Amino acid sequence: MTNTPSSSALDGLDDGALAERLADASRRITTELRKVIVGQDAVVEQALIALFAGGNCLLVGVPGLAKTLLIHSLSRALDLRFSRIQFTPDLMPSDVTGTDMITDDPETGRRKLAFLPGPIFANVVLADEINRTPPKTQAALLEAMQERRVTVQGKTYPLEPPFFVFATQNPIELEGTYPLPEAQLDRFMFEVLLDYLPEEEEVAVVQATTTVPPEAINPVVSRDEILAFQRL
């Protein structure tokens, strides 16, 4: 857990003081990310903008550019619940949202339907290779990304704020993929393009990944801080 101010303390700050705290939080997160991420300054900046503005982010790049590592590391720097969904052609909507399951009631001994939440019920959701699953499953994210809620079997379940979807996509391998429709692209605040690093940064990556293990990433920003930054 992070040693950060409580919600009431943050609510008492004026906009100027809160903006300063936001800038400090950005520096703290970036410092943690630099333990494992080399370069990609513009990508990190846009991911943080989406985070503080309450938006979703689509990262597009070829394999090996640390898309998944970046989002996973970002989630570790936040004191939030994280889940990862690996999108595949056989993934079903219920694998994302959750479904009603038949369970035994220990008090009455009778069977009943109970909702089993899916991985979408988290604060930070990594939708890995989102274009590898059919549109029907992609659509399972639409309500969550726009309305911050999930409807299953006619019943609506709210998602705990803050809620973010960070999706990754490989732009060069098109066989067996399903390009995102415009309706779903509109749910993303940014489409961030990742490119290869300069030669000196590639060397730094090799040196960092073939010597000692990377430092552990510590949570440095709390849920209350993020909610306050979004209100600002």
Side-chain angles (χ1 to χ4, degrees), residues 11-92:
D11 290 341
L13 297 177
D14 59 32
D15 288 350
L18 195 55
E20 291 179 3
R21 192 175 294 278
L22 188 153
D24 178 64
S26 178
R27 287 189 293 268
R28 282 182 280 150
I29 294 174
T30 302
T31 298
E32 294 299 311
L33 293 180
R34 289 301 169 219
K35 294 179 179 179
V36 294
I37 301 295
V38 176
Q40 304 290 11
D41 295 339
V43 175
V44 171
E45 180 183 16
Q46 291 178 78
L48 291 180
I49 292 173
L51 173 75
F52 293 136
N56 305 299
C57 195
L58 175 64
L59 282 73
V60 180
V62 299
L65 297 185
K67 300 185 298 295
T68 301
L69 178 62
L70 171 62
I71 303 308
H72 193 264
S73 301
L74 177 61
S75 71
R76 289 182 177 181
L78 308 173
D79 197 12
L80 299 174
R81 287 188 297 127
F82 169 79
S83 70
R84 173 181 176 178
I85 307 172
Q86 184 66 51
F87 281 80
T88 56
D90 61 346
L91 196 72
M92 299 296 292

Side-chain angles (χ1 to χ4, degrees), residues 99-203:
T99 188
D100 289 328
M101 302 286 291
I102 298 179
T103 61
D104 293 325
D105 190 330
E107 296 181 358
T108 63
R110 297 181 179 180
R111 291 187 172 183
K112 64 176 183 178
L113 282 177
F115 179 65
L116 181 65
I120 196 70
F121 286 86
N123 299 118
V124 181
V125 177
L126 170 58
D128 216 0
E129 297 188 278
I130 191 173
N131 60 326
R132 290 194 177 278
T133 199
K136 181 178 181 180
T137 304
Q138 292 174 359
L141 287 172
L142 292 181
E143 182 182 17
M145 294 171 68
Q146 185 69 30
E147 309 291 339
R148 303 297 193 263
R149 64 187 184 186
V150 171
T151 301
V152 177
Q153 301 290 343
K155 188 173 181 179
T156 299
Y157 302 89
L159 296 171
E160 180 188 19
F163 175 78
F164 312 95
V165 171
F166 288 91
T168 69
Q169 182 173 289
N170 177 3
I172 63 172
E173 191 174 349
L174 302 180
E175 184 177 353
T177 63
Y178 306 84
L180 296 178
E182 289 188 15
Q184 185 153 351
L185 285 174
D186 285 345
R187 264 64 173 190
F188 291 99
M189 175 176 286
F190 291 135
E191 179 177 332
V192 182
L193 303 179
L194 284 80
D195 203 353
Y196 290 107
L197 296 172
E199 181 178 354
E200 61 274 12
E201 292 183 352
E202 290 279 10
V203 173

